[in-house]
Amino acid sequence: MPDPRGHEQSAPAAHPAPAAHPAATDHPVVPAKIRVPATDALPRRRLENRLAELWSHRLGIVVAPAGSGKTTLLARFAASAGVPVAWYRAETWDRDEREFLRHLHAALGRVMPALTNGWRRVEDAAEALDAWDGGRALLVIDDLHALEGTPAEAALARFIEYAPPWLGILAGSRIVPEVNVSRMRVSGELLEIDADDLRFRSWEVEQLFRDFYGETIPPGDIATLARRTEGWAAGLQLFHLATRGKPADERRRILGGAAASGRLVREYLARNVLAELPASLREFLLETFVLGRLTGDLCDRLRGAPDSALLLDELARRQIFTVTVDPDDGSYRYHEVLRAYLDRMLVDVLGEAGARARHARAAALLEADGALAEALVAHCRAEDWPAVERMLGQEGERLVGESSAWLDRLPPALARHDPWLTLASARQARAEGRWTAALEAYARSEAGFGAAATSAIVRSERLTLSAWLDPAAHVPGGWAGALRTGLSRDPLLAARDAAAAGDGPPAFLRGLLALAAGEVSLARDDLDAAVADPELGPAITAAATILAGVAALLAGQPAGAGQLETGVEAAERSGQTWLADRGRVAARLLGGRTTFGTVARVVGIGAGPDDRWGTAIDLLLEAWAGVNGPAGRLEAAEESATAFRVLGSAVLESWARALGALALADLRADEAREVALSAESLARTVGAPGARQLAYLALGRVDEARSAEFALLADAAARETGLQQPPPALAPAGALGGPENAAARSIAVEPEDALVRIEIRIFGRFAISAGGRSLDLQQVRPRVRALLRLLALHSGTPVHREVICEALWPDVDGPTGAHSLHVAVSSLRGLLIEQLGPAAGQLIVRDGDAYRLVIADAAVDLRRFEEAIAAGRAARSRGEPAGPAYRVALALHGGELLTEDGPAEWAVERRERCRAQAVEAAQAIAQEALTVGDLDRAVAACRAGLELDRYHDPLWRSLIQARDRAGDSGAASRDRRDYAAALADLGIGEVAAVSPS
């Protein structure tokens, strides 16, 4: 299936090989076989960068199962190679040497027209290529597996040996070709990309759906999709085809089903995988998939037949979704998509009862062999609940001590109510950063164990997690407690104390806390040592790898990006989703790795709604990167600092405060020096020399008298820590005034003129525009946007800071609220300056302890509305027609005031007052229209007023009166019924007759 989305473009179904192979003829070569396929696929830089190393190898091979994206990867590399490319797609009838050479010449001849013709032997081809003097070229051979075991494959092996060094040779195949691969591996002449390399990582799945398919899928669903498909390219495309245009609930329902339950997946596997296998291998797959973990011995016992080990090796050699688990004991597993398909197929063949019996037999064998997790899953699939209960009672501790990857394959009710499985669920939720769910599961597990000794273990894990989420909770002992303490204060001292106590992995703990302090040179040494420690488990090794990558990047070493990528993959393999998410965000913001895509906003990429640690860390990384300009850096730093303060991590809070000071310095804010001094004091107090270094940088920018002194202090700190300066804060792409959007910057060309043309809409959805172009308010955070709306509501009038803090930061103390207000005002000024030019900084002024939005009354729809209401009232008091003024007011009231702020107290009173004034205007218009006999206008005014207040009695009476006078008895009768319904809602009796006047 042709696929532009990074998936394999399958070749047409192979024709059966003829019984006898006729001699080669000179019929024309089919052009499609030697034409480079067009592709518009998602770039996969991780793999394309690997292929770029081809020129230092004799041969490159891409070997993976059907649908893995081989052809598309080869085509993308061919399109970007920058050299002449010869393409040859092999088929089963290209079997003999002469036919192979004929196609090879046709392919090479397209880009090397001077090549001699008439190749009958490989030596002829080598001689012709030796005579070529046109420079480097590339030969791509796709579907090489079609030549397996043929003279053509043997000819290719010789051709590779004889080919000149300027010819890069790259092949795609479903099996490893017989071209003396082992010798080339040893000599370093072979470049290999296998199925695991082609597997889409979860961040690549996210990028595929977001950037190519144009679909936004929540991070949790992305992780589930990546896990269920195991990153299989065709599976991802088929999921997209099955769910595009469907609502999120329907997509999630499909995702929650069996991995191969969809018709498209079943058809693909049947036509492109199983149909090409001998009947014996198809039967073997159907017989053995029930085992989950397969060895030759287990399969022999299940089948009652020998030679299973040979059949497993053959499936693995053919790349039939058979993955090696442990090469030492010869164990394998089938890909989850294939297992789900075979399970459905087994039910079709044996019926549900027969399939359960097959799973029960497999469960017994697996349990006897010690494969407990696979046995438990098989017992559940067999619906043998007594056996499940027995296993959990006898082997629960061993099961929970292993990976919990099998947990998702159990019935949810079972996993929720058995204490062992609930403990496994708690640990899984903890690894995924679902803290609330983890604590709830720990509590259920603890209650389920009751007085059993295991309950104390569960309680200890629960209290340890609670201490991370509640700074007032008791900090547990052990190295986890030392880490928690070190993130609160004196991280290097906490690391030394833990090492002296001999508790926990010392190098890892020292490295992590050194990184928290900002001692990146020291951190790199310890973390690299931790990565190399074979005694550490996979989760800690993955964490050490990610942190080592972060430390390297903060020290200015680009190689850290590669470490991050390795660490993220390791975290995903070990089930540490939360850790992998943090690594992905770090790679995007610190490493600039195209592998991970690009971002403008990172919060919410992986952090769940209750993941305060994940959100705080992501915000801190965003503040360091400065990808959203000084205002964005300020907001991210402030939110991160607040989050770390709530979590009781003063060390990390000091970093955020220092980054906020840098942003204020770049924004030339009045309070920049004060904030920088406060950040330096905090960093010194908690023992964070890296944060102190950043505070010195900020002070050097704002304190002209002592700038040289602070620069020396910053340099000395940098020599001590090895920490590089953070990158300059850049205006976000696409922002008005940003360098990437020249058209949008037209507003800023004449800033004073743009300020004259500013308009603010408060009724309906808030908007501010200049010169007819709306400002992009999404560049700042919700609290800053709320501040702008509050000031706009009182435009021209000073609003005291206590009033603002009470409205926007009601739950914090006075100094914290005042600081948050300073930051928000600076951030708002920065946004206005970025999008409108320097003069826009004058829009918000400080009057003592109050702030005021300076803008003409005519620029704000609320001000024009209130002026029109006042004009209407004045006209009525003079006995003059008020309708014209009131009609202006009613037209300006284009919806509820500040709908974004909902029930916020500071908006509700003004909203209700404006609604009452609009109803007043509607009633006045209707009365005047009735007086002069303009019945249509009277009806329109009444309907407009009743849209705002359904229970306004005078409007109903005026409406019915206008209907009656117009002779529209049907409409009058309908309005009477609606009026009666409105009164009934209020508990008032029937409507009295309303007679026409």
Side-chain angles (χ1 to χ4, degrees), residues 651-734:
V651 172
L652 298 181
E653 179 190 353
S654 70
W655 283 82
R657 297 292 183 202
L659 287 167
L662 274 175
L664 287 169
D666 290 339
L667 291 168
R668 298 179 176 85
D670 295 339
E671 59 271 22
R673 185 176 185 279
E674 177 186 347
V675 172
L677 287 171
S678 174
E680 191 276 340
S681 176
L682 177 61
R684 184 183 298 278
T685 300
V686 301
R692 197 170 72 245
Q693 176 182 336
L694 300 182
Y696 289 147
L697 287 173
L699 286 166
R701 296 178 188 180
V702 297
D703 192 331
E704 295 182 3
R706 301 177 60 190
S707 61
E709 175 189 346
F710 285 124
L712 288 174
L713 288 171
D715 288 343
R719 288 193 295 273
E720 173 193 347
T721 62
L723 179 69
Q724 299 294 301
Q725 289 191 26
L730 302 175

Side-chain angles (χ1 to χ4, degrees), residues 419 442-459:
Y442 273 125
R444 288 198 307 273
S445 178
E446 189 177 350
F449 282 117
T454 308
S455 182
I457 299 174
V458 180
R459 183 171 185 272

Side-chain angles (χ1 to χ4, degrees), residues 130 375 401 433 446 483 655-656 665 754 785 839:
D130 279 339
E446 189 177 350
L483 177 58
W655 283 82
R785 297 199 295 270

Side-chain angles (χ1 to χ4, degrees), residues 63-68 70 145 148 173-176 195 230 232 268-278 280-286 288-289 294 310-324 332-339 341-342:
V63 182
S68 297
K70 300 185 295 296
H145 53 271
E148 180 192 10
S173 178
R174 295 184 187 177
I175 61 174
V176 177
E230 296 192 35
W232 180 43
Y268 187 94
L269 290 173
R271 295 179 57 186
N272 294 280
V273 179
L274 297 183
E276 299 182 1
L277 292 179
S280 59
L281 284 180
R282 289 201 299 270
E283 183 179 350
F284 179 80
L285 284 169
L286 192 60
T288 59
F289 83 92
L294 307 106
L310 294 176
L311 293 170
L312 283 170
D313 290 343
E314 177 64 10
L315 287 171
R317 189 188 72 83
R318 288 173 175 258
Q319 296 280 327
I320 306 300
F321 296 92
T322 304
V323 182
T324 301
Y332 296 90
R333 68 173 179 83
Y334 297 142
H335 193 288
E336 280 302 308
V337 173
L338 180 62
R339 276 178 52 84
Y341 172 79
L342 292 170

Side-chain angles (χ1 to χ4, degrees), residues 898-909:
L898 296 178
T899 54
E900 300 98 319
D901 296 290
E905 292 183 7
W906 59 272
V908 166
E909 186 275 334

Side-chain angles (χ1 to χ4, degrees), residues 558-614:
Q563 283 182 290
L564 270 174
E565 186 174 318
T566 301
V568 168
E569 292 188 31
E572 289 195 326
R573 284 196 301 271
S574 61
Q576 300 298 314
T577 308
W578 183 89
L579 184 60
D581 287 339
R582 304 289 73 72
R584 277 195 291 274
V585 173
R588 292 178 174 192
L589 293 174
L590 303 183
R593 296 287 282 189
T594 54
T595 307
F596 292 87
T598 56
V599 291
R601 303 230 63 94
V602 302
V603 179
I605 283 177
D610 69 338
D611 182 9
R612 290 179 291 163
W613 276 99

